[in-house]
Amino acid sequence: MKRADFSPLPDTKINLKDYDPDFHEDWNKQTAKDETDRLQERIQDLQERLYAEGKQALLIVVQAMDTGGKDGLIKKVFSGVNPQGVTVTSFKAPTPEELARDFLWRIHRHAPAKGFIGIFNRSHYEDVLVVRVNKLVPTEVWKSRYDHINAFERLLVESGTRILKFYLHISKAEQKERLLARLDNPNKHWKFSLGDLPVRERWDDYMKAYEDALTRCNTEYAPWHIVPANRKWYRDLFVTQVILKTLEAMNPRFPPAEAGLDQVVIPD
Ligand code: AMP
Ligand code: MG
């Protein structure tokens, strides 16, 4: 597989077994980190412009299995951007108040405002992943959600938001390593939840659910990227490259200066 295959075209049937979580082109840890740092400076400049312009928004959806690297990625890729222009929302199991509404109700209110980058750490996709695997709603309910998701994302895009979706793809063996590392490190115990173990047992069911979500909701206006994520440094570089390319295409511009600024004299 080549780099481009990890950003599949709409209507591609996704089989995750075809996607190597160790893929890293010709990069090594040092060259990838240096390149990521270099590209991040350009993201910082473009984010400043996006915020100043106040006309377009960028929504970044991050999904992964436990230990897939969602938190680490968000921390790395957005280190250095102006926090005033970025919102991060982590979606947990819905509250009773949220469960009493449609599944997109709690999501929509966190969509980024114009000028902002909004990051979703988990998202509306949980409603066709954990909800499906754990049979939290009847089959016909989760099955109808792919169309609802596509329509919802189209609404956001037509209202001035760009959408990028990243699935951080790790292997089951890599997850085991990372869970063991969490157990070994007292500073990481807070990240270890016994509830993650039954999820790991259902790995294959989750892969199937991910494949359907990635296949059915990979649209031209809200594309999925399958990020090889066994190597954290390649994961960070891959996502940084995609975000930078998107921000460049959005081409945000500083608003024009007020007329007469060249005449201004600042009084003593
Ligand atoms: P974490 O990301 O480790 O803080 O865990 C958040 C938990 O919330 C995960 O176990 C998710 O599966 C769960 N979660 C998120 N969204 C939903 C949802 N819509 N329905 C059920 N569980 C969810
Ligand atoms: Mg967790």
Side-chain angles (χ1 to χ4, degrees):
M1 274 206 156
K2 352 182 260 307
R3 165 67 179 77
D5 297 324
F6 290 85
S7 303
L9 294 172
D11 300 321
T12 308
K13 169 93 182 75
I14 307 295
N15 293 309
L16 284 171
K17 286 204 168 56
D18 300 340
Y19 294 81
D20 179 8
D22 281 303
F23 182 84
H24 59 283
E25 301 173 87
D26 296 327
W27 296 97
N28 64 41
K29 188 171 182 172
Q30 196 54 53
T31 56
K33 279 179 173 251
D34 291 346
E35 177 70 355
T36 302
D37 289 346
R38 192 179 72 81
L39 300 182
Q40 265 165 5
E41 283 177 28
R42 289 164 61 193
I43 290 185
Q44 287 158 23
D45 172 58
L46 285 158
Q47 185 242 346
E48 189 86 18
R49 289 166 191 267
L50 189 82
Y51 187 73
E53 178 192 65
K55 288 188 175 162
Q56 325 173 59
L58 175 61
L59 171 62
I60 296 170
V61 171
V62 186
Q63 285 287 157
M65 297 294 282
D66 295 312
T67 76
K70 299 187 298 296
D71 297 331
L73 173 91
I74 292 167
K75 191 160 120 186
K76 175 74 189 160
V77 174
F78 295 97
S79 60
V81 301
N82 182 351
Q84 276 210 105
V86 179
T87 58
V88 183
T89 313
S90 297
F91 290 98
K92 310 288 182 187
T95 64
E97 193 195 19
E98 290 167 346
L99 280 174
R101 270 87 176 187
D102 70 86
F103 78 106
L104 292 170
W105 180 76
R106 68 171 186 155
I107 309 289
H108 202 163
R109 52 198 292 267
H110 293 287
K114 291 188 166 66
F116 281 76
I117 297 178
I119 303 160
F120 284 179
N121 182 340
R122 303 187 190 268
S123 66
H124 42 302
Y125 284 94
E126 293 291 325
D127 293 283
V128 290
L129 295 165
V130 61
V131 168
R132 165 178 170 174
V133 172
N134 287 343
K135 301 189 167 56
L136 302 180
V137 299
T139 306
E140 59 278 13
V141 172
W142 62 257
K143 277 200 169 164
S144 71
R145 288 183 172 168
Y146 303 103
D147 289 341
H148 289 306
I149 289 173
N150 287 337
F152 168 63
E153 292 179 353
R154 196 159 62 83
L155 169 69
L156 296 185
V157 170
E158 289 183 2
S159 311
T161 300
R162 288 271 188 138
I163 303 181
L164 292 172
K165 300 180 300 202
F166 297 102
Y167 164 60
L168 310 184
H169 185 42
I170 58 165
S171 62
K172 197 176 177 190
E174 177 68 18
Q175 188 192 53
K176 183 171 183 179
E177 293 301 311
R178 293 185 185 184
L179 287 171
L180 288 171
R182 282 183 183 180
L183 282 179
D184 280 350
N185 181 350
N187 290 345
K188 288 194 175 173
H189 284 174
W190 67 278
K191 284 202 152 200
F192 196 98
S193 161
L194 288 171
D196 294 346
L197 295 177
V199 176
R200 175 172 169 80
E201 275 172 34
R202 312 209 58 181
W203 184 274
D204 292 343
D205 294 335
Y206 273 95
M207 290 304 107
K208 177 91 195 47
Y210 265 107
E211 285 171 347
D212 284 347
L214 293 166
T215 300
R216 298 209 43 195
C217 300
N218 185 30
T219 54
E220 157 271 313
Y221 53 86
W224 271 111
H225 301 269
I226 300 166
V227 183
N230 272 5
R231 289 178 169 81
K232 295 172 183 170
W233 43 266
Y234 185 72
R235 169 199 79 196
D236 294 343
L237 174 61
F238 183 114
V239 173
T240 300
Q241 286 172 329
V242 175
I243 293 173
L244 177 60
K245 206 169 152 206
T246 302
L247 281 169
E248 281 174 347
M250 291 168 79
N251 192 21
R253 289 156 193 266
F254 287 119
E258 267 181 67
L261 279 196
D262 48 344
Q263 313 292 328
V264 171
V265 178
I266 309 287
D268 290 330

